[in-house]
Amino acid sequence: MSSAAGDAENPENSPKEEFNIIQEGQAKVGFHGPVFYNPVQEFNRDLTVTVLRQFSDDRQKWHQEQAAKSAAVSNGEGEEPPKKKNKLTINEDGKIRILDALSASGLRALRFSKEVPNVGFIMANDFSDNAVASIQENVKLNEVEDLVEAHFGDAVMTMMEHRGIDKRFHAVDLDPYGTASTFLDSAVQCVADRGILMVTCTDMAVLCGNTPEACYNKYDAVTTRMKCCHEVGLRILLRAIDSAANRYTRYIEPLVSISVDFYVRVFVRVHTGAFQAKQSGTKVGTVLVCSGCNAMEPIPMLKRGENNQENKYSLPTIRHSLTGPDNLCVHCNNRLHQIGPIYLAPIHSKPFVTSLLERLKSTPEAERLGTHGRLQGVLTMVSEELEEVLYYEHDQMANTVKVSVPKVQSLRSAILHAGFKVSGSHCNPRAIKTNAPMQLLWDIYRQVAKDTSVDREKRLAKESAGYHILGQPITNTINFSLHPGAIEQAKKENLVRFQCNRGKNWGPRQKAKGSVNSTKAGFQLTNVEEHKK
């Protein structure tokens, strides 16, 4: 970081305001006075640049394939594509249009202009006069006036003005202070077909169940405090985006969804199609959660017909395996809660994540991004995750029955030897994701209690969840010998998987002075009119 201060030696000269310049990636941003810059978010911006690079390359390949098919049709070698298909495409030159809807200093837009290939236009929008002036200054500082346009406007109104097919953006980035829920409806309308929507939310207390009433108001879902709350928060956000898209016969394809540091970040491809949009009901549902042992059971909203009835949908008839007598948990005899609705389908696209990893591995060392190591570690964890199950914390399960925590490799080996799949999670270093039934998981801990001679009568209260769990017989054969697949690939390669706390008050910075509350921005018409004058 470099700075230039006023000339204090000459009393005739008035002191100049301090000007700070920070460089991140290939972009520079200047600040007058105190610096509003959060270095922890560099990983967020590096990930976004990496995803956009891959998105741009994929889009180029897709256009080449479409051109080849059109040429084949012209030569009489292929089938003519549907006539309606071209109505959903814009900018056939292959250049992408990007909207940074809440740009602040313009750092993201500047990095996109310098680090993402095939960019034709970037709109850096903000509803603050100071922010727009800062963006204009930084655009000149980086010499990208031909690519980046500083725009003053309410983010919702700006996106609604670009909902027409010929005005849409190929990529839209939403990185608000707090929730992005107020922007989702307009965002899904201004993204081009097969375009990408990138959304950040930092209201983790809401998404993680501290205030279920606030979660319902913002995301039309409820949740509770649970060990896998960060993945549940991701799935609540994905369901909110998909629900907003469904109203316009659109649907989403999650590419990458991560929960790191103090925020969640999702990258989704937006498609158009009434038939596919109707299938969204089969991808969402609620989850039964035990208040005692944290056992979970997903319940889908809709069931799709099979064979000749694929266009028929019905309510699923489900026998809840988690429910015992008196509607209490069958494992520990505690009360059950119902959370959701959440997105139950896969939250990552494994082929897309594999492409990102291949891109990172092939990047020369001199051209690597600042958080290259962590990007590779997190995406490797993501590539290994089981897709359609939530995770448990293995040490929390051991604490429930008051036994010593087994080694994670021993736990994973026992699950693999039983014939089931298991993985970790990028959300939590202690996470266990598996398709094994809950009965097997508790049998593993019952076996640990037996091997270590745990006396439940002395160690556990009779009304506790652990007392009921240890009182049940072991019904599976447990094998703790090391399984070849028990060690995670990211751990084998000694990759950086989880960020270390960077010190006191680590987390989202205070909202920038002069910024406008996103919820009230659309009602402050006076500010807009004054800016136009």
Side-chain angles (χ1 to χ4, degrees):
M1 182 175 69
S2 61
S3 63
D7 185 2
E9 296 180 1
N10 190 348
E12 296 179 0
N13 294 337
S14 59
K16 297 179 180 179
E17 187 178 17
E18 184 181 12
F19 184 68
N20 301 286
I21 296 178
I22 292 177
Q23 179 157 353
E24 183 182 286
Q26 299 179 25
K28 299 177 182 177
V29 285
F31 298 90
H32 291 280
V35 176
F36 182 77
Y37 171 76
N38 193 348
V40 178
Q41 283 281 54
E42 182 181 3
F43 174 79
N44 186 326
R45 291 182 285 266
D46 283 354
L47 177 62
T48 304
V49 168
T50 304
V51 169
L52 279 178
R53 286 173 175 174
Q54 188 62 44
F55 168 77
S56 178
D57 287 353
D58 290 347
R59 187 172 178 276
Q60 288 287 323
K61 293 177 182 178
W62 184 81
H63 271 286
Q64 292 171 2
E65 291 173 358
Q66 297 303 307
K69 290 180 180 179
S70 298
V73 170
S74 300
N75 297 331
E77 300 175 358
E79 297 182 0
E80 186 173 356
K83 293 182 178 180
K84 293 183 179 180
K85 192 170 186 178
N86 292 332
K87 291 185 178 181
L88 299 174
T89 59
I90 60 175
N91 285 32
E92 298 298 336
D93 59 353
K95 298 289 185 180
I96 63 174
R97 292 161 44 88
I98 302 175
L99 170 64
D100 185 7
L102 304 157
S103 197
S105 65
L107 177 56
R108 286 175 181 269
L110 296 171
R111 290 197 60 181
F112 298 161
S113 68
K114 286 183 164 290
E115 301 176 36
V116 179
N118 304 314
V119 173
F121 172 73
I122 300 173
M123 178 180 287
N125 179 79
D126 205 280
F127 202 55
S128 164
D129 287 306
N130 294 335
V132 173
S134 176
I135 295 169
Q136 292 172 339
E137 191 173 46
N138 289 324
V139 167
K140 294 179 181 178
L141 180 65
N142 288 269
E143 300 178 349
V144 289
E145 295 93 334
D146 58 327
L147 289 179
V148 182
E149 174 188 314
H151 181 269
F152 176 88
D154 171 29
V156 172
M157 296 177 67
T158 299
M159 289 187 284
M160 291 300 290
E161 290 170 357
H162 290 81
R163 65 192 297 266
I165 292 178
D166 58 336
K167 297 180 180 180
R168 292 175 179 173
F169 297 95
H170 301 102
V172 175
D173 195 332
L174 293 175
D175 186 28
Y177 187 92
T179 180
S181 60
T182 52
F183 305 105
L184 298 182
D185 186 80
S186 52
V188 296
Q189 297 183 66
C190 76
V191 181
D193 193 46
R194 293 181 55 83
I196 188 170
L197 176 59
M198 306 169 287
V199 183
T200 300
C201 289
T202 62
D203 56 334
M204 296 306 295
V206 174
L207 288 169
C208 289
N210 285 10
T211 52
E213 70 282 2
C215 189
Y216 178 78
N217 288 340
K218 293 180 179 181
Y219 300 100
D220 198 23
V222 293
T223 185
T224 185
R225 297 180 187 178
M226 49 199 301
K227 296 302 179 181
C228 62
C229 60
H230 291 90
E231 183 175 341
V232 169
L234 276 173
R235 293 179 180 273
I236 286 175
L237 176 58
L238 286 172
R239 182 259 169 189
I241 299 173
D242 194 43
S243 178
N246 292 160
R247 300 184 187 105
Y248 307 99
T249 64
R250 312 192 84 181
Y251 61 99
I252 66 170
E253 174 195 355
L255 300 177
V256 185
S257 307
I258 62 166
S259 172
V260 293
D261 303 335
F262 47 82
Y263 59 89
V264 291
R265 177 75 163 165
V266 299
F267 301 84
V268 301
R269 197 188 299 274
V270 180
H271 299 274
T272 303
F275 177 76
Q276 294 87 346
K278 290 178 181 179
Q279 297 176 21
S280 291
T282 64
K283 301 176 183 178
V284 301
T286 57
V287 180
L288 284 179
V289 182
C290 175
S291 61
C293 66
N294 288 310
M296 296 175 288
E297 181 183 359
I299 307 170
M301 284 283 190
L302 289 178
K303 178 183 178 182
R304 189 181 180 188
E306 300 177 354
N307 300 326
N308 296 328
Q309 294 185 332
E310 291 185 353
N311 295 336
K312 301 292 184 180
Y313 296 87
S314 61
L315 298 178
T317 302
I318 299 178
R319 179 182 178 274
H320 301 316
S321 60
L322 190 58
T323 305
D326 300 324
N327 290 323
L328 298 177
C329 176
V330 69
H331 302 290
C332 69
N333 206 36
N334 274 264
R335 291 178 299 172
L336 300 174
H337 299 302
Q338 189 170 23
I339 66 168
I342 67 173
Y343 197 80
L344 295 177
I347 62 176
H348 313 291
S349 168
K350 291 301 177 68
F352 188 82
V353 174
T354 301
S355 298
L356 294 180
L357 284 170
E358 292 174 352
R359 172 179 292 274
L360 290 173
K361 292 177 181 178
S362 62
T363 303
E365 188 172 352
E367 300 176 11
R368 290 179 177 177
L369 299 172
T371 60
H372 175 90
R374 191 184 179 201
L375 282 172
Q376 194 170 347
V378 170
L379 290 175
T380 300
M381 289 287 294
V382 166
S383 68
E384 297 176 341
E385 282 186 16
L386 294 182
E387 296 182 328
E388 298 182 16
V389 292
L390 296 168
Y391 66 83
Y392 297 95
E393 272 192 7
H394 66 88
D395 57 343
Q396 179 270 330
M397 296 184 71
N399 183 61
T400 299
V401 291
K402 297 295 186 277
V403 299
S404 57
V405 180
K407 291 182 178 180
V408 66
Q409 287 86 356
S410 299
L411 178 60
R412 291 166 64 98
S413 295
I415 295 172
L416 291 169
H417 283 304
F420 297 96
K421 298 178 181 179
V422 65
S423 76
S425 171
H426 76 279
C427 299
N428 191 322
R430 298 178 297 278
I432 288 290
K433 300 189 78 171
T434 179
N435 62 344
M438 203 67 199
Q439 180 67 27
L440 173 66
L441 295 183
W442 285 129
D443 275 354
I444 292 174
Y445 287 94
R446 280 189 278 263
Q447 186 66 50
V448 173
K450 180 180 178 181
D451 293 343
T452 55
S453 302
V454 171
D455 187 348
R456 68 169 184 149
E457 299 293 340
K458 295 180 179 180
R459 188 169 293 191
L460 295 159
K462 291 186 177 181
E463 65 274 9
S464 68
Y467 184 89
H468 289 279
I469 292 170
L470 292 185
Q472 299 178 30
I474 299 174
T475 57
N476 294 278
T477 301
I478 307 301
N479 181 3
F480 287 118
S481 61
L482 185 63
H483 189 281
I487 302 177
E488 300 165 337
Q489 187 64 32
K491 195 167 184 178
K492 288 181 181 178
E493 299 179 13
N494 198 27
L495 299 175
V496 179
R497 297 172 295 163
F498 301 99
Q499 176 74 312
C500 296
N501 189 310
R502 292 199 174 188
K504 186 178 180 181
N505 299 325
W506 179 72
R509 299 294 179 88
Q510 184 178 4
K511 184 182 290 188
K513 293 182 179 179
S515 65
V516 180
N517 186 304
S518 58
T519 306
K520 300 179 181 179
F523 302 101
Q524 299 187 6
L525 301 179
T526 304
N527 194 18
V528 178
E529 296 300 327
E530 289 178 354
H531 188 272
K532 288 182 179 180
K533 293 178 181 179

